[in-house]
């Protein structure tokens, strides 16, 4: 961990990382052990590791996967969904799934083409859609999005919690 001037072995990293997550959660008052937490997961190692850490720390955390309909020649979204669901199943956790194509009638790449946003790159449409869906879910489920610190939210996915 270059920014911390640490060179940790696997064993000590696996001790250090949950301690850091717990420290950030408490420092910024993101949520408590009595809150229901919803972690946005992509199916990648970072978001799944965070979900795992929060559960191991004793937080009541569900996952939220937003299927973007991105193929990329190898079924990117379907593979990401499969990995997120596999993780949830293996750890007996609940994964909530939003399918963008079912919600909006088109996948993110098609929506990007239709709206002409991002000049052939779907990043802006993708970001807007994910933010909209997280906010919609927060309103629908009576949750709030915890985004108190820019550093925290750029390193870790958005959290939703009950008030």
């Amino acid at each position: 961990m270059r920014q911390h001037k640490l060179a940790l072995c696997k064993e000590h990293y696996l001790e250090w990382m949950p301690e850091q997550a717990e420290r950030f959660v408490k420092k910024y008052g993101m949520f408590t052990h009595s809150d229901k937490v919803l972690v946005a997961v992509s199916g990648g190692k970072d978001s799944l590791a965070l979900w795992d850490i929060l559960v191991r720390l004793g937080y009541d955390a569900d996952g939220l996967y937003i299927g973007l309909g991105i193929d990329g020649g190898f079924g990117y979204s379907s593979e990401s969904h499969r990995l997120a669901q596999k993780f949830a199943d293996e750890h007996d956790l609940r994964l909530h799934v939003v399918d963008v194509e079912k919600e909006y009638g088109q996948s993110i790449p098609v929506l990007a083409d239709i709206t002409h946003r991002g000049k052939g790159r779907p990043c802006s449409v993708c970001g807007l859609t994910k933010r909209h869906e997280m906010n919609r879910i927060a309103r629908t489920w009576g949750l709030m999005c915890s985004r108190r610190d820019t550093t925290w939210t750029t390193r870790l996915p958005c959290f939703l919690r009950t008030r």
Side-chain angles (χ1 to χ4, degrees), residues 2 5 31 98 102 110-111 116 128-129 145 155 163:
R2 217 175 316 151
K5 298 185 181 181
F31 40 82
V98 174
K102 286 181 185 169
V110 173
L111 290 170
H116 304 291
L128 286 170
T129 303
C145 188
R155 292 185 182 160
R163 287 187 176 184

Side-chain angles (χ1 to χ4, degrees), residues 71-83:
D71 179 51
F74 55 90
Y76 175 82
S77 287
S78 58
E79 179 64 7
S80 297
H81 181 203
R82 184 189 71 76
L83 292 169

Side-chain angles (χ1 to χ4, degrees), residues 30-46:
M30 298 183 88
F31 40 82
T32 68
H33 283 84
S34 62
D35 290 325
K36 179 72 174 174
V37 180
L38 188 63
V39 182
V41 296
S42 65
K45 63 184 183 301
D46 294 336

Side-chain angles (χ1 to χ4, degrees), residues 4 6 20 50 52 71 76 78-79 86 89 94 101 148:
H4 296 282
L6 292 173
Q20 293 301 302
L50 176 62
D52 183 57
D71 179 51
Y76 175 82
S78 58
E79 179 64 7
K86 179 181 178 213
D89 293 344
R94 185 167 180 199
E101 197 163 354
R148 293 195 181 124

Side-chain angles (χ1 to χ4, degrees), residues 5-6 9-10 22 24 29 43 63 66 88 91 102 105 113 121 139 149-150:
K5 298 185 181 181
L6 292 173
C9 65
K10 180 180 177 181
E22 182 76 3
F24 269 97
I66 301 175
H91 294 86
K102 286 181 185 169
D113 286 342
R121 295 183 199 101
R139 283 190 310 276
D149 179 75
T150 306

